[in-house]
Amino acid sequence: MSRQEHSDLLPPVHEAWLPREHPLHRPRHGRRQLAALLCAVLFFTAPVVTWVFGARAEQLENRPLAAFPSITDGWGFFTGLNAWATDNLPFRKDAVQSVDALSRGVFGEPARLAGGSHTSPVGAGQVDEKPPIDENVFPDVIEGKNGWLYLGHDVSYRCVPKRTTDQVIAGLRRWRSVVEASGRKFQLVIAPDKSTEYPENMPDDYAGKDCSTKAREEFWRRVPAATGAVDLRAQLREVAARNQRPIYHDIDTHWTHEGAITMTYQLAERLQPGVTSSWKVLPSRQYPHSADIPDLLGQDRTVPIQAYSLAPDGGAADNTQFKPSDFRQPLHLESRPKPGMIAQPVRMVGDSFTQFASPYLAATFANITITHPDNVADDPVAAGELLAEGEVVTFELSERFVAGGRYPMLDPAVADQVGAVLAAHPVR
């Protein structure tokens, strides 16, 4: 049949306008379509309408609320509307709590809630290949023994990596190469996952147990040796045993301030052996900290924080500085050099584990600036200019993000761009 003959058989009007009894009739706006359209309108306008009447959305996860997409984003404007509307719905936390309570009451298990307090950083260098396993099969929260909660990403990121271990090693080695080629010292420390440091409180069985265990063993067997990364696992266990209490919070994914001080000791000793011999660390204030993992269940729970004073010269004066920051805007910490301090200017890339360490880094490093890993991939030139201010470049990276290949800055091309800036400003 020719194209012309085929077109002659088609109705001369849109199928929505055909008589209902016609076999090709398709209602342009059937009841289901109208209902779906109404729901969509309510979903996207609810944040605006409720905002006018004074309701405000709460930041439920440990990340900023999604911003309203720009009209200049093209099709990205429409795809970005969903994230904006979801994040900015008022009473969202109440809804999460209700869903979780209903799931536990009816099915006897926690609800499968989307999102996470530590979402995957997506940006330059992100690998878009379809993973062999659907990441959605893993829970956001793993309920362990003795009331312990674990972040689901400890498991899912290992089981569904965005980069192979070889690629991760290549990326980290490239960073060391470009930094040291500019005459600077390079330090890399990997903060262990809580599930790595305290696997005994994980449940006996959980989704991804086999693949995550295998990936964790390969990671710690290969990565520190191949990249020169500081492996803190033994020191953290030693400090925990000495203090007779866990060095990670039971319902938060991070280490305690004692873990943060342990990292600070290790970094300083590697730069200047013996420098910590004069340090005096004493308990100071206590305060509650909002735990990140219960947020995913719609729960408001806190963990007690024991902070410390640190006098690097062994005197009575506390040299810590408590300046809360997520490092999205680089945090600069500076103080007059004292005995027991690292005088060289240090520029550091660190994430949420470094947030706990920043008061003690301020106490012991006379000149240090900390920026977030995402900033490095988002603007390598600006990151290079910041790192070029230091004679020492230090990275603190979280195990789950490194093992899962989730840091965009692991792309060797990012290291090369930053390296070009460092090479233009060498340290001699």
Side-chain angles (χ1 to χ4, degrees), residues 305-419:
I305 293 291
Q306 175 63 65
Y308 292 83
S309 65
L310 198 163
D313 58 359
D318 177 17
N319 212 43
T320 60
Q321 298 181 44
F322 285 80
K323 294 184 177 181
S325 174
D326 62 2
F327 312 134
R328 302 288 175 171
Q329 291 292 327
L331 175 65
H332 181 66
L333 301 165
E334 189 170 2
S335 61
R336 182 176 58 84
K338 298 180 180 180
M341 295 183 70
I342 301 296
Q344 296 167 286
V346 176
R347 295 299 177 263
M348 185 170 185
V349 177
D351 59 18
S352 52
F353 282 86
T354 296
Q355 291 177 29
F356 287 80
S358 63
Y360 312 108
L361 293 168
T364 54
F365 290 78
N367 182 338
I368 184 170
T369 302
I370 310 168
T371 190
H372 194 275
D374 284 357
N375 294 344
V376 179
D378 290 342
D379 193 341
V381 173
E385 292 171 348
L386 185 148
L387 298 181
E389 297 171 357
E391 296 177 11
V392 178
V393 173
T394 299
F395 286 0
E396 174 275 305
L397 302 175
S398 300
E399 177 191 346
R400 69 179 68 90
F401 287 110
V402 180
R406 302 290 175 131
Y407 284 115
M409 62 176 288
L410 288 173
D411 185 346
V414 177
D416 287 343
Q417 292 180 69
V418 174

Side-chain angles (χ1 to χ4, degrees), residues 9-301:
L9 297 178
L10 297 175
V13 296
H14 192 279
E15 60 266 24
W17 301 105
L18 292 170
R20 290 184 179 275
E21 60 273 11
H22 194 286
L24 294 181
H25 170 74
R26 297 290 186 274
R28 196 179 190 92
H29 294 293
R31 292 181 180 177
R32 292 181 180 176
Q33 288 175 301
L34 288 174
L37 181 62
L38 179 60
C39 290
V41 171
L42 289 174
F43 177 73
F44 288 114
T45 59
V48 177
V49 174
T50 52
W51 184 89
V52 171
F53 288 98
R56 297 293 184 269
E58 292 183 74
Q59 182 176 315
L60 181 58
E61 297 157 8
N62 187 21
R63 60 175 176 83
L65 297 175
F68 189 79
S70 170
I71 194 68
T72 60
D73 292 339
W75 283 109
F77 172 81
F78 297 101
T79 57
L81 277 174
N82 182 58
W84 168 79
T86 299
D87 273 9
N88 289 274
L89 277 173
F91 318 118
R92 180 178 171 218
K93 175 169 284 191
D94 296 320
V96 170
Q97 292 172 337
S98 299
V99 169
D100 186 62
L102 180 63
S103 177
R104 291 177 186 274
V106 176
F107 302 107
E109 61 181 25
R112 296 293 304 278
L113 301 170
S117 61
H118 294 271
T119 54
S120 171
V122 177
Q126 182 66 57
V127 178
D128 293 323
E129 296 177 0
K130 183 176 178 58
I133 307 174
D134 184 357
E135 210 169 317
N136 293 321
V137 305
F138 301 99
D140 296 310
V141 175
I142 300 172
E143 299 194 16
K145 302 173 184 176
N146 304 314
W148 279 51
L149 300 178
Y150 293 85
L151 195 65
H153 290 166
D154 281 14
V155 172
S156 63
Y157 284 3
R158 295 193 199 117
C159 290
V160 192
K162 298 297 185 182
R163 291 177 174 83
T164 66
T165 302
D166 287 340
Q167 290 172 322
V168 167
I169 289 173
L172 293 174
R173 293 181 69 171
R174 184 71 62 86
W175 273 107
R176 178 176 293 277
S177 175
V178 300
V179 170
E180 292 181 344
S182 71
R184 294 171 172 84
K185 295 180 180 178
F186 180 73
Q187 292 184 301
L188 169 63
V189 59
I190 297 174
D193 291 340
K194 185 168 76 173
S195 57
T196 292
E197 205 67 18
Y198 289 98
E200 62 268 29
N201 284 320
M202 290 284 281
D204 292 330
D205 193 24
Y206 53 90
K209 179 179 180 179
D210 292 340
C211 57
S212 65
T213 301
K214 180 180 178 181
R216 180 178 67 237
E217 292 172 351
E218 180 189 13
F219 178 85
W220 288 107
R221 184 179 69 253
R222 296 185 58 195
V223 174
T227 65
V230 179
D231 183 351
L232 291 174
R233 291 176 298 165
Q235 287 86 359
L236 291 170
R237 280 283 189 173
E238 180 183 333
V239 172
R242 186 167 63 243
N243 294 328
Q244 297 185 336
R245 55 180 172 269
I247 206 162
Y248 281 67
H249 296 287
D250 57 351
I251 61 172
D252 192 278
T253 196
H254 300 97
W255 51 32
T256 63
H257 278 233
E258 291 154 354
I261 294 173
T262 301
M263 181 184 76
T264 305
Y265 264 88
Q266 293 299 316
L267 292 176
E269 278 293 324
R270 279 166 170 74
L271 286 176
Q272 189 176 326
V275 71
T276 65
S277 60
S278 62
W279 290 10
K280 184 169 71 175
V281 179
L282 296 173
S284 59
R285 66 190 181 105
Q286 293 183 336
Y287 62 95
H289 169 73
S290 180
D292 60 352
I293 302 179
D295 280 350
L296 299 176
L297 302 174
Q299 301 172 4
D300 290 317
R301 299 176 63 185

